[in-house]
Amino acid sequence: MTEAAELPPAPEKARDVFGDRYADAVRYAELLAEAGVKRGLIGPREVPRLWERHLLNCAVLSEVVPEGVTVCDVGSGAGLPGIPLALVRDDLKITLLEPLLRRTNFLTEVVELLGLDHVTVVRGRAEEVMGKLQPVHVVTARAVAPLDRLATWGIPLLRPYGEMLALKGDTAEEELKASATALTKLGAVETSILHVGEGVVSPMSTVVRVEVGESPGGVRFAAKRAKAARTGRARRRRG
């Protein structure tokens, strides 16, 4: 049996979640099950549960993303959660940030094939692109790293008063407690655990929300941020 044949039909609730983009969501699932598996971006055992565990689980993140904001999906991998989020929210401007070439190649192909004009693929590590990318309102991530390490990468990419939304599993509360000191040093002013996707996914998706104040990244990144701003202004004047 081929990987494609193992992909189950889309559940009926996928039509409600993805709406006009339902056909694109089906195509994305097929790409993950075929090219995604062949290129090692997703394990073959994940194919039977692509809809519940991956596409729908990520799409429901849209419930807590504000309208019309900029988003950076850190360590986007095969495009989760960034691409499902883009399929349900064309009001967002989304950057898929991923360091590995084979993954960015796949992401670029998917974005072009599905006509996701509001999505940009950037190859690089979060710590390398600070100052090169415009700070965003929201950073998203899924299965990238433990929360304290993820925050070190993601929070400095935020604009003041932005937020990081990390899809986590059963360890969310434990990770949040263990990361409290690190998050405070990085400029976090409030944290919470949210559950989204009621009636769509079971169990519901767990999201750790980290809200920052006027200095995302804290003192550690203040000088770097100021230098990046000065460099950006100098380039604009020369341009």
Side-chain angles (χ1 to χ4, degrees):
M1 186 179 290
T2 65
E3 286 84 359
E6 294 172 1
L7 178 67
E12 193 59 36
K13 51 198 166 188
R15 293 183 180 273
D16 298 327
V17 171
F18 290 102
D20 293 343
R21 285 284 196 170
Y22 170 73
D24 290 326
V26 171
R27 186 65 187 121
Y28 177 50
E30 291 169 350
L31 289 166
L32 286 174
E34 297 162 5
V37 170
K38 286 176 184 173
R39 299 189 197 182
L41 305 183
I42 193 163
R45 292 183 181 179
E46 295 302 312
V47 173
R49 51 186 185 177
L50 268 178
W51 282 104
E52 292 286 343
R53 185 180 174 90
H54 298 286
L55 273 76
L56 291 172
N57 179 273
C58 290
V60 296
L61 182 63
S62 66
E63 294 177 17
V64 290
V65 178
E67 286 187 20
V69 298
T70 52
V71 178
C72 183
D73 189 32
V74 173
S76 197
L80 301 164
I83 288 177
L85 183 61
L87 287 169
V88 297
R89 295 286 300 276
D90 61 8
D91 61 301
L92 305 174
K93 292 209 175 294
I94 300 177
T95 298
L96 306 179
L97 181 63
E98 168 56 48
L100 294 184
L101 180 60
R102 62 188 170 90
R103 293 177 180 169
T104 53
N105 285 342
F106 175 78
L107 293 173
T108 300
E109 290 165 19
V110 171
V111 166
E112 291 176 357
L113 185 65
L114 302 184
L116 297 173
D117 298 334
H118 57 306
V119 177
T120 303
V121 178
V122 173
R123 185 184 175 199
R125 299 182 183 280
E127 58 269 35
E128 296 168 349
V129 300
M130 183 184 167
K132 298 176 185 176
L133 290 182
Q134 283 290 331
V136 296
H137 297 91
V138 177
V139 162
T140 59
R142 177 179 187 252
V144 173
L147 187 62
D148 54 350
R149 202 184 321 157
L150 173 62
T152 302
W153 301 333
I155 287 180
L157 300 178
L158 290 169
R159 56 185 289 167
Y161 307 104
E163 59 185 331
M164 184 175 74
L165 299 171
L167 279 161
K168 289 287 182 180
D170 298 336
T171 62
E173 192 168 341
E174 182 183 326
E175 284 192 52
L176 191 51
K177 286 179 181 176
S179 305
T181 301
L183 292 174
T184 299
K185 288 180 180 178
L186 286 166
V189 295
E190 190 157 340
T191 60
S192 53
I193 294 177
L194 313 172
H195 298 283
V196 295
E198 185 174 7
V200 178
V201 289
S202 181
M204 290 193 291
S205 300
T206 301
V207 181
V208 174
R209 172 187 269 162
V210 179
E211 299 171 74
V212 300
E214 61 182 16
S215 299
V219 175
R220 178 180 169 190
F221 290 94
K224 190 172 182 180
R225 193 185 309 281
K227 182 179 178 182
R230 288 194 300 273
T231 302
R233 285 196 297 270
R235 284 178 185 153
R236 285 194 293 274
R237 282 197 297 271
R238 287 197 299 270

